[in-house]
Amino acid sequence: MQCLPIIKYHNEIAYQTELQEHIPYLPNLSNSDINIVENLQTHGLAITSLKELGIESNLQLLQSAKKLSPHIQPDINIKKHGFVAHASAAQMLEYPEIFLWGLEQRLLNIIENYLSLPVAYHGAYFRQDIANKLEQGSRLWHIDTEDRQVIKIIIYINDVDEDTGPFQYLPQTLTLEVAKSLNYTSGYITNQTMQNTISPVQYKSCVGSAGTVIFAATSSIFHRGKPPTLNDRFAIFFDYTARRKKDLHYTTSALTHEFLVNYYHHLSEQQKQYIYWQ
């Protein structure tokens, strides 16, 4: 056990060296995209919209999502005892525009500038959060610990207000204070525990119309999906980390074997680097 601090120290030195060595290779960004990166660095989150991003494939993404959403269809057991239903891998394969949107070079450039390292894309998942008020799983407060830096892009497919399960978070500075107060290292925290630590007035709710886009540095902020009370929330999540096997602890991925096989011949060589990097 005595060697663990030494190993941690050397790992940190290696990581910082990688960051410095990659700086000359970071892609150039527009002023609006620089603003997204700066908000991620300062607050842990940036909010925009598909309209503001203006990416060419936005329309195909939304059209596919609207077609797919009625077919997610959670069963009775999920509606009563669970809290979320996902589009299956087979359903996602029918609508490749959703997965491929996450490989838009502009998005990858933004994420690379935040990570300061080459990007690994872990895929997309389309979820329907059930309006049953249950406080379970990702509806509990947590920080993602799969890697040193985890980035998620979240797109709302329907209008989301306070009663439709908005993404909630604590800004980075407040997250550090709460984590220290709770002696937090990993896992889930109930909303009651959080309220015993800080006032819910300090929660930040990401409300917005369909097409709202959230860039969230989920490894540096406490966050949760607020339990919907009136309407189900439909949202697509895109997951990214740096390409570092040493720190990566993903146990599940949207990129199933079927995905990897089916998409291989439909991607450019550059796109393949973000998926098949291992």
Side-chain angles (χ1 to χ4, degrees):
M1 294 295 291
Q2 293 180 351
C3 67
L4 288 178
I6 297 175
I7 293 173
K8 184 177 180 180
Y9 170 78
H10 285 292
N11 285 345
E12 182 63 27
I13 293 297
Y15 174 67
Q16 294 299 329
T17 300
E18 287 184 58
L19 294 179
Q20 291 300 314
E21 290 178 347
H22 192 65
I23 287 175
Y25 303 100
L26 292 175
N28 294 324
L29 299 179
S30 66
N31 288 335
S32 61
D33 291 351
I34 290 173
N35 186 54
I36 292 174
V37 174
E38 290 177 345
N39 278 319
L40 282 168
Q41 292 170 335
T42 304
H43 307 293
L45 187 134
I47 301 180
T48 181
S49 67
L50 290 175
K51 183 178 180 179
E52 289 175 355
L53 286 173
I55 293 173
E56 188 174 346
S57 63
N58 284 347
L59 180 59
Q60 294 94 323
L61 166 75
L62 274 179
Q63 288 176 339
S64 295
K66 293 291 187 181
K67 290 178 183 177
L68 176 53
S69 57
H71 300 289
I72 298 178
Q73 295 181 341
D75 59 31
I76 294 175
N77 186 58
I78 290 177
K79 287 184 177 181
K80 287 186 176 180
H81 307 292
F83 68 98
V84 64
H86 289 88
S88 68
Q91 288 175 321
M92 293 291 283
L93 280 170
E94 292 180 27
Y95 298 94
E97 299 83 6
I98 296 173
F99 169 81
L100 293 174
W101 187 87
L103 282 169
E104 286 285 352
Q105 194 61 51
R106 183 177 171 192
L107 302 173
L108 295 165
N109 289 349
I110 291 170
I111 294 165
E112 184 171 345
N113 270 270
Y114 174 75
L115 298 174
S116 294
L117 288 171
V119 178
Y121 177 38
H122 298 280
Y125 54 97
F126 192 173
R127 57 184 285 168
Q128 176 182 354
D129 282 88
I130 313 301
N132 57 11
K133 304 181 183 180
L134 291 179
E135 190 177 336
Q136 299 176 357
S138 58
R139 291 182 178 181
L140 299 166
W141 290 97
H142 62 286
I143 299 173
D144 290 345
T145 57
E146 293 93 341
D147 195 18
R148 286 174 180 261
Q149 293 178 299
V150 178
I151 293 288
K152 294 184 188 293
I153 300 178
I154 306 163
I155 301 177
Y156 291 161
I157 304 305
N158 60 330
D159 295 345
V160 175
D161 58 19
E162 285 289 351
D163 299 315
T164 317
F167 182 88
Q168 287 189 319
Y169 74 104
L170 306 183
Q172 283 184 159
T173 302
L174 186 55
T175 289
L176 289 172
E177 294 175 7
V178 172
K180 183 177 181 180
S181 177
L182 294 174
N183 197 25
Y184 179 87
T185 54
S186 64
Y188 291 113
I189 294 174
T190 66
N191 193 46
Q192 185 59 58
T193 299
M194 187 62 77
Q195 289 188 20
N196 291 339
T197 308
I198 63 167
S199 167
V201 173
Q202 298 188 75
Y203 298 177
K204 301 292 184 181
S205 290
C206 300
V207 299
S209 58
T212 294
V213 179
I214 302 165
F215 288 78
T218 56
S219 56
S220 63
I221 53 173
F222 269 116
H223 62 281
R224 69 165 186 163
K226 183 181 180 183
T229 56
L230 293 181
N231 301 300
D232 293 355
R233 185 194 71 181
F234 290 85
I236 305 172
F237 287 66
F238 302 83
D239 285 4
Y240 307 87
T241 67
R243 300 177 200 171
R244 301 188 77 248
K245 293 182 181 180
K246 184 175 293 185
D247 294 315
L248 194 59
H249 300 290
Y250 264 81
T251 55
T252 60
S253 173
L255 297 175
T256 63
H257 177 72
E258 185 179 14
F259 258 89
L260 295 174
V261 170
N262 277 274
Y263 277 108
Y264 186 82
H265 296 293
H266 300 282
L267 301 173
S268 69
E269 290 303 314
Q270 185 174 10
Q271 287 175 322
K272 290 175 184 177
Q273 295 176 14
Y274 294 98
I275 300 172
Y276 306 96
W277 59 277
Q278 298 190 70

